[in-house]
Amino acid sequence: MISKKDIVEFLQSPDIQALLSEENLDKVYSLYEERVSNKLQEYSCTLTQYLLSIGIQPLDYVTHIREGMFIDCSIEEIHIPGNMGDIPGYVFVECDKLKKVIIEPGVTHIINDAFDGCDNLTEVVIPKTVRVIGDLAFIDCSPFIIKCFENSEGHKFALRNGYDFELM
């Protein structure tokens, strides 16, 4: 079985380091899809943390997020690009270090339990394109501020569920 140490060594190998350039990120994510996200969830967290540490937003280079992909992942901030469409349930469960979520225009749905138990969440940016937010999407999270547009689904969600909000 592959250990977390093995995946870190793999990511730090000269072959992978040589791939970590803007023009080769599709190759990195091909490896990501083959060797990481289809394996155990902890490996996708390890790769995500590594890419964030070198200044790369990993979700900019994938086309979908799978349920359970980042459970208990030690990330502090995540940008979710618009090409994701939906944020499935149980993606960012128990991400205790997650403080800020920036959802970019194009995302349309935030499913129940997507951010279940994110105890240190302080800010979530929700664009106008989000049309549906499950009332349990942020269940068991610390109190946080929703940054949203007036009369948007983010605004309605904040009012309906008693969240603080800041209009953009």
Side-chain angles (χ1 to χ4, degrees), residues 100-138:
K100 185 175 183 178
V101 176
I102 299 172
I103 302 168
E104 296 179 3
V107 172
T108 57
H109 294 75
I110 305 172
I111 307 303
N112 280 337
D113 300 301
F115 296 91
D116 184 358
C118 296
D119 294 337
N120 289 303
L121 201 55
T122 59
E123 178 182 325
V124 177
V125 178
I126 302 176
K128 292 180 194 178
T129 58
V130 173
R131 296 186 321 255
V132 176
I133 304 173
D135 282 337
L136 303 176
F138 297 94

Side-chain angles (χ1 to χ4, degrees), residues 1-20:
M1 178 156 156
I2 298 172
S3 71
K4 202 169 191 175
K5 181 180 177 226
D6 293 330
I7 197 75
V8 169
E9 287 175 4
F10 167 76
L11 292 171
Q12 293 175 341
S13 71
D15 295 313
I16 294 301
Q17 290 295 309
L19 289 174
L20 290 176

Side-chain angles (χ1 to χ4, degrees), residues 41-42 45 67-74 90-95:
Q41 164 274 331
E42 71 182 86
C45 281
E67 193 172 284
M69 197 167 182
F70 298 103
I71 291 175
D72 197 28
C73 197
S74 296
Y90 306 103
V91 175
F92 298 97
V93 175
E94 302 295 332
C95 292

